């Protein structure tokens, strides 16, 4: 099956198309209007008349766009901008009046035989000016509306792009701070294994290499496959178990099926790392309890751990605040985070709409 990719038309081509459609409409209207004293066989005359009058309308429109509206787009506005806009308005009006007079009196009447004022016995300069302003003031208004609406959409697009860039930069900054504590501790643990010539040292280095590869390559994206994120979580637990010499008790349960769901990378990991940092790891009666309930569109994550009363690290760090900010940026209105901090226990309940 072939696929077609549609691209937005350039702005100038849209202008050409709109004016061409107006010309066709006015030609048809003039041709079938019995009030115009032009033979029906002289179809070329209709085209010349309509193109001529359309050029006056276009002059009013673009004069308004470039000479009247553009000075008013400067912020903050001053009397200089207002004076330039007023001068532009007068220049536009004078131009369309002179151009209309030149077309009607020196082309349409003597060459095409079309007199737009044959029934007007009181044609004066003042009447001609008032009539021209009356008929083409709407195109001046259209030019103003077009310019201001266009500028509104441009400003809105710039605002969204700026906000997206700021959000992307903030997310990149947050991701860059996710694992320093864990990394330093892991390196120390592996150093101890190497120093003791433990057979676990090569496996620990391999696990650390896998984790770093994930962080450096896949975790740079806003979303990754949930399966890859859980693989990372398993490797994290395995590496911690190696460092703890298998004296680590984690009760991990996964309910539901993994079927292509996506999630923000390194989101759940921060909670697990926090449990490793501040929790009791070696008590089989109080293991770290980690539960994931999955559906096709939701994830419920619960983590409970006993606090290590001998480990009084009050530096806090950026872990929880980091996760809360990333949730706000990536899952606005699509998450619910509950943190229960008891004197002896710590509980995390997170619901995500994937």
């Amino acid at each position: 099956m072939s696929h077609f990719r549609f691209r937005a038309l350039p702005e100038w081509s849209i202008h050409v198309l709109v004016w061409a459609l107006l010309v066709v409409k006015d030609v048809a209207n003039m041709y079938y209007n019995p009030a115009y004293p032009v033979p029906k066989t002289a179809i070329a005359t209709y085209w010349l008349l309509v193109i001529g009058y359309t050029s006056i309308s276009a002059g009013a429109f673009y004069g308004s766009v470039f000479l009247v509206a553009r000075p008013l787009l400067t912020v903050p506005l001053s009397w200089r901008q207002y004076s330039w806009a007023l001068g532009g308005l007068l220049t536009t009006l004078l131009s369309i009046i002179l151009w209309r007079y030149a077309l009607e009196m020196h082309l349409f009447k003597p060459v095409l035989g079309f007199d737009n004022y044959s029934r007007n016995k009181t044609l004066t300069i003042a009447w001609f000016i008032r009539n021209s302003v009356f008929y083409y003031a709407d195109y001046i208004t259209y030019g103003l509306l077009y310019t201001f609406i266009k500028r509104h959409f441009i400003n809105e697009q710039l605002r969204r792009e700026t906000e997206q860039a700021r959000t992307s930069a903030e997310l990149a900054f947050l991701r860059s701070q996710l694992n320093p504590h864990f990394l330093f501790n892991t390196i120390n643990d592996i150093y101890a294994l190497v120093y003791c010539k433990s057979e676990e040292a090569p496996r620990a280095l391999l696990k650390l290499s896998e984790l770093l590869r994930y962080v450096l390559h896949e975790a740079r994206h806003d979303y990754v496959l949930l399966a890859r994120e859980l693989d990372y979580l398993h490797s994290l637990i395995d590496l911690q178990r190696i460092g703890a010499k298998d004296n680590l008790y984690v009760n991990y349960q996964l309910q539901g099926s993994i079927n292509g769901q996506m999630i923000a990378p390194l989101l759940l990991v921060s909670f697990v790392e926090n449990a490793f940092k501040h929790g009791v790891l070696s008590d089989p009666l109080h293991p770290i309890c980690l539960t994931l309930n999955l559906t096709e569109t939701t994830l419920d994550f619960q983590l409970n751990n006993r606090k290590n009363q001998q480990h009084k690290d009050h530096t806090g760090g950026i872990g929880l605040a980091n996760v809360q900010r990333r949730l706000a940026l990536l899952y606005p209105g699509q998450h619910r985070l509950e943190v229960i901090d008891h004197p002896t226990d710590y509980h995390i309940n997170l619901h995500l709409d994937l």
Side-chain angles (χ1 to χ4, degrees), residues 302-321:
Q302 291 90 33
L303 187 144
N304 306 317
N305 67 272
R306 192 82 167 203
K307 286 185 178 180
N308 189 343
Q309 301 299 328
Q310 296 178 350
H311 185 191
K312 298 294 185 179
D313 186 353
H314 298 290
T315 59
I318 62 168
L320 182 59

Side-chain angles (χ1 to χ4, degrees), residues 165-180:
R166 183 165 54 246
T167 299
S168 298
E170 185 175 357
L171 285 170
F173 174 73
L174 291 172
R175 282 195 294 264
S176 70
Q177 302 181 68
L178 285 173
N179 290 312

